[in-house]
Amino acid sequence: MTQAQLQETANIAAHGPDVGGGDWRKYFSFSTDHKVIGIQYLVTTFIFYLIGGVLATAVRTELATPEVDFVSRELYNSLFTVHATVMIFLWIVPAGTGGFGNYLVPLLIGARDMAFPKLNALAFWIIPPAGIMLMLSFFVGAPGSGWTSYPPLSLVNGKAGEAIWILSVLLLGTSSILAAVNFLVTIWKMRVPGMGWNQMPLFVWAMLATSALALIATPVLAGALILLSFDLIIGTSFFNPTGGGDPIVYQHLFWFYSHPAVYIMILPVFGMISEILPVHARKPIFGYKAIAYSSLAISFLGLIVWAHHMFTSGTPPWLRMFFMITTMVIAVPTGIKVFSWLATIWGGKLRLNSAMLFAMGFISMFVIGGISGVMVAAVPFDIHVHDTYFVVAHLHYVLFGGSVFGLYAGFYQWIPKMTGRMLNEPLGKIHFVMTLIGFNMAFLPMHKLGLEGMNRRIAEYDPKFATLNLVCSIGAYILAISTFPFIINVCWSLFRGPKAGNNPWGGLTLEWMTSSPPPVENFEADPVLATGPYDYGMGDRSTQVDVPFSEPSDPDLSAGPSSSLRAKADPAVAAHPDDREGESANRE
Ligand code: HEM
Ligand SMILES: [Cu+2]
């Protein structure tokens, strides 16, 4: 018996009735079911992603030639400002946390719902009005001082748009805080009996770290924005230098949130990657505890690096050294994750399906962004490239190559669970290849443009940059087109996709132990943990990869119970302890 069969057998009673797609109207209601809310988040944020993409395409069309010829300079400013705001606050943050977090966390920990279902629904329903308001701002003069909204620029730039931007981001921040509280309590209190901290799937660890970070950092942004709105609307001078205010204080407050925000955007994706790789490599995750605890380390370090965005803001040299060093230190826990993922797929029986391709694409693209990140962390280098396209290249490698690739991997992995139907693999692969090519064409040349001194946030540039910019724009169009195979795939799958069954990937985590889609309260009977979440390859040898079960000279490298790195199922709650023994004997 393989571990997957063992886990499934132990959980036969947990399979719910086959509920099918259900009534689509529930997705427009104030539903308190975490799965409905998760899908509401995913669909809503994906629509905002498409809107953000249209804005990006407009930005790239303007930049396809050196002259200002497509939109006015003012409109250009609004386009990139709203583009970035939408991508960050209405797509990546809510899709990773609210979307996948809501859908997966209760299932993964064997709970029936989130701790506070109504709060959960409220957190979601704040998002559509906040987003629509931001879009409508184009009719009254959209915000145009960048997604950072630095004063004094933001105080002189057009009040209506700026005020709408502040209100919209405040609402989105509120939603994020409510969600964070909910996740913390759910993860802390609602795990199925027998799931100790070290039996928790890694996505749950990632959501724990993300929620703690969101809870600590987001209120600071809220404070900064409220003060900014006072300066803007009633003429106070917290940040306004003409009245004696200090714009640098705003930068500190803003980045105290917004640097952690990049981890709020990437940690859930890290978690998803840690779930996806072992299933499709059929091997135990390498370095369970290292991956789990490095998420916590990243959260903590993420709070003490913010001023690396302010190396050119008159920050004193000794302080710049502090922030340079702390920033570089974050590469350590991040590197631990990357090497653990590589070791997980190393020697595995890889299934190169769309989920796995996006997950592997994620690792490679994110590492490029990570390397340019360590480069810009170095003060002398950053002073050279600050406010150039090098930074735009860096942030897109981490946010697009990282977060967006990871979110796509998540869609391919869990849509069969959400809808009960499989996606089409050839279309998925076309989607992946087009995304990879378009993405690198759009953003790789920006490194060179930046090094040569092309400024960001300008509609017009030196004609010597024309060729590479055209390449970037063509890449952006390919990227825009690449979403079509995905959308077509999902629509096709909803009506025509083959039935997925409960556990199409042979996974061991609990979401696969119920029906697809799961019934209202997830499980018919309480699920049991007959195996650890990543005990792949520990059963029948003919179908599984050979990982040494015990390696007396180096227990860390083995999958067995003596591995200090592996997630261990608690034998006390295993449904069939004899089976577990039997399985182990199989390996000797
Ligand atoms: C369709 C793909 C995308 C394209 C073609 C694109 C293009 C661009 C361009 C050209 C800029 C620079 C504007 C300027 O400084 O003049 C920019 C800025 C930015 N983009 Fe994207 N982008 C895309 C997707 C994303 C995604 C997925 C994110 C995720 C968060 C994102 C986040 C940002 C941010 C934070 C900025 C900085 C904005 C600012 O300086 O205020 N972009 N994008
Ligand atoms: Cu940062």
Side-chain angles (χ1 to χ4, degrees), residues 259-340:
H259 183 81
V262 309
Y263 294 108
I264 297 172
M265 290 186 264
I266 203 74
L267 280 170
V269 173
F270 284 172
M272 290 198 276
I273 299 297
S274 305
E275 300 299 331
I276 295 168
L277 295 177
V279 188
H280 298 299
R282 310 308 297 166
K283 268 183 67 193
I285 188 94
F286 182 93
Y288 171 86
K289 283 189 183 166
I291 295 181
Y293 300 162
S294 60
S295 295
L296 301 182
I298 289 174
S299 283
F300 171 71
L301 288 170
L303 287 167
I304 54 167
V305 300
W306 75 91
H308 62 210
H309 295 277
M310 300 167 58
F311 286 153
T312 59
S313 305
T315 311
W318 62 270
L319 202 55
R320 293 199 299 205
M321 285 306 108
F322 172 80
F323 284 105
M324 172 168 116
I325 292 166
T326 50
T327 305
M328 290 185 170
V329 169
I330 296 203
V332 176
T334 314
I336 288 176
K337 284 187 191 290
V338 170
F339 285 117
S340 299

Side-chain angles (χ1 to χ4, degrees), residues 178-349:
L178 299 182
V181 174
N182 216 342
F183 282 121
L184 287 174
V185 178
T186 306
I187 297 170
W188 213 276
K189 287 285 176 200
M190 295 178 62
R191 281 167 286 140
V192 70
M195 185 183 278
W197 291 109
N198 288 329
Q199 285 89 42
M200 241 166 43
L202 288 163
F203 179 74
V204 182
W205 273 108
M207 283 306 299
L208 186 73
T210 310
S211 308
L213 197 55
L215 190 59
I216 296 170
T218 318
V220 179
L221 175 73
L225 293 183
I226 289 171
L227 295 183
L228 187 68
S229 73
F230 288 166
D231 278 11
L232 183 78
I233 297 165
I234 53 177
T236 53
S237 293
F238 292 104
F239 307 128
N240 195 346
T242 49
D246 188 352
I248 299 295
V249 174
Y250 175 84
Q251 296 190 14
H252 278 293
L253 295 174
F254 179 82
W255 287 110
F256 185 81
Y257 165 76
S258 289
H259 183 81
V262 309
Y263 294 108
I264 297 172
M265 290 186 264
I266 203 74
L267 280 170
V269 173
F270 284 172
M272 290 198 276
I273 299 297
S274 305
E275 300 299 331
I276 295 168
L277 295 177
V279 188
H280 298 299
R282 310 308 297 166
K283 268 183 67 193
I285 188 94
F286 182 93
Y288 171 86
K289 283 189 183 166
I291 295 181
Y293 300 162
S294 60
S295 295
L296 301 182
I298 289 174
S299 283
F300 171 71
L301 288 170
L303 287 167
I304 54 167
V305 300
W306 75 91
H308 62 210
H309 295 277
M310 300 167 58
F311 286 153
T312 59
S313 305
T315 311
W318 62 270
L319 202 55
R320 293 199 299 205
M321 285 306 108
F322 172 80
F323 284 105
M324 172 168 116
I325 292 166
T326 50
T327 305
M328 290 185 170
V329 169
I330 296 203
V332 176
T334 314
I336 288 176
K337 284 187 191 290
V338 170
F339 285 117
S340 299
W341 291 327
L342 293 179
T344 301
I345 55 181
W346 182 267
K349 274 198 178 166

Side-chain angles (χ1 to χ4, degrees), residues 532-565:
Y534 307 110
D535 285 355
Y536 301 103
M538 292 168 59
D540 176 7
R541 288 193 172 226
S542 62
T543 57
Q544 309 263 346
V545 185
D546 191 26
V547 178
F549 190 72
S550 66
E551 178 57 78
S553 62
D554 198 351
D556 281 357
L557 288 179
S558 68
S562 53
S563 165
S564 60
L565 294 173

Side-chain angles (χ1 to χ4, degrees), residues 45 270 382 454 467 483 555:
T45 56
F270 284 172
D382 185 67
M454 178 171 161
T467 319
T483 35

Side-chain angles (χ1 to χ4, degrees), residues 56 76 83-84 87-88 92 147 389 395-396 399 443 456-457:
Y76 179 83
H83 155 71
M87 290 296 190
I88 290 176
I92 299 191
W147 78 283
Y389 262 83
L395 75 93
H396 283 91
L399 287 177
F443 297 109
R456 67 192 277 208
R457 298 181 175 175

